[in-house]
Amino acid sequence: MGVSSVKEDVKAVIFVGFAGLVAGACSMAIGEFVSVCTQRDVEIAQMKREKRKGSSKSDENDEKLPNPVQAALASALAFAIGAVVPLLAAAFIRQHKVRMAVVVAVASVALVVFGVAGALLGGTPMVKSSARVLVGGWMAMGTTFGLTKLIGSDHGMQI
């Protein structure tokens, strides 16, 4: 969405979109890894405190510790799958305005599907979860489009 706001060339959109896919997947994986490592450290410290008090069930708790590498890989994969959907939609449409509309539509459908999947996996209300994911995605697309348009238009961005 950002590149499309200042550049109509489909090759630039695909190139920068792929770079964004890789960067975003890496960013999500690193953030998830750090977060889960921190959670794991807190849980280990809690288990040590419980063990000192004599109220520990360490064998049972060890199995429940989160795996930071697994979480990072899952996060990177989820981001990459989510990013490739609109990227593929953009790759096959040459007309700029049509391409942008199709990307928004395809991304919106994907966001709803991811919201439903998350709700099913997490046992949460589907409508609420889907709406949250959809609105969050729209906010991200709008922000990316708007900021790139503002900055790119004022500074003659070359991509």
Side-chain angles (χ1 to χ4, degrees), residues 2-3 14 29 33 59-60 110-111 115 117 121 128 132-134 148:
V3 174
I14 299 303
F33 182 83
D59 291 340
E60 184 180 307
L111 289 165
L121 291 171
K128 185 177 180 180
R132 181 175 44 241
V133 173
L134 180 62
T148 308

Side-chain angles (χ1 to χ4, degrees), residues 27-81:
S27 177
M28 293 296 289
I30 292 165
E32 191 73 23
F33 182 83
V34 169
S35 175
V36 173
C37 279
T38 302
Q39 178 185 351
R40 184 182 175 95
D41 291 346
V42 168
E43 290 181 23
I44 289 171
Q46 179 64 30
M47 288 188 312
K48 287 179 181 177
R49 284 191 291 274
E50 289 173 1
K51 189 174 184 179
R52 283 194 299 263
K53 290 181 183 177
S55 63
S56 174
K57 299 175 187 171
S58 63
D59 291 340
E60 184 180 307
N61 288 338
D62 287 346
E63 293 176 11
K64 294 181 181 176
L65 287 174
N67 182 334
V69 173
Q70 184 180 23
L73 291 172
S75 187
L77 181 62
F79 185 92
I81 291 169

Side-chain angles (χ1 to χ4, degrees), residues 90-124:
F92 298 105
I93 300 171
R94 298 284 176 213
Q95 191 177 7
H96 179 251
K97 289 183 181 181
V98 173
R99 181 174 58 243
M100 288 181 55
V102 168
V103 166
V104 170
V106 168
S108 296
V109 170
L111 289 165
V112 169
V113 169
F114 291 137
V116 168
L120 291 173
L121 291 171
T124 60

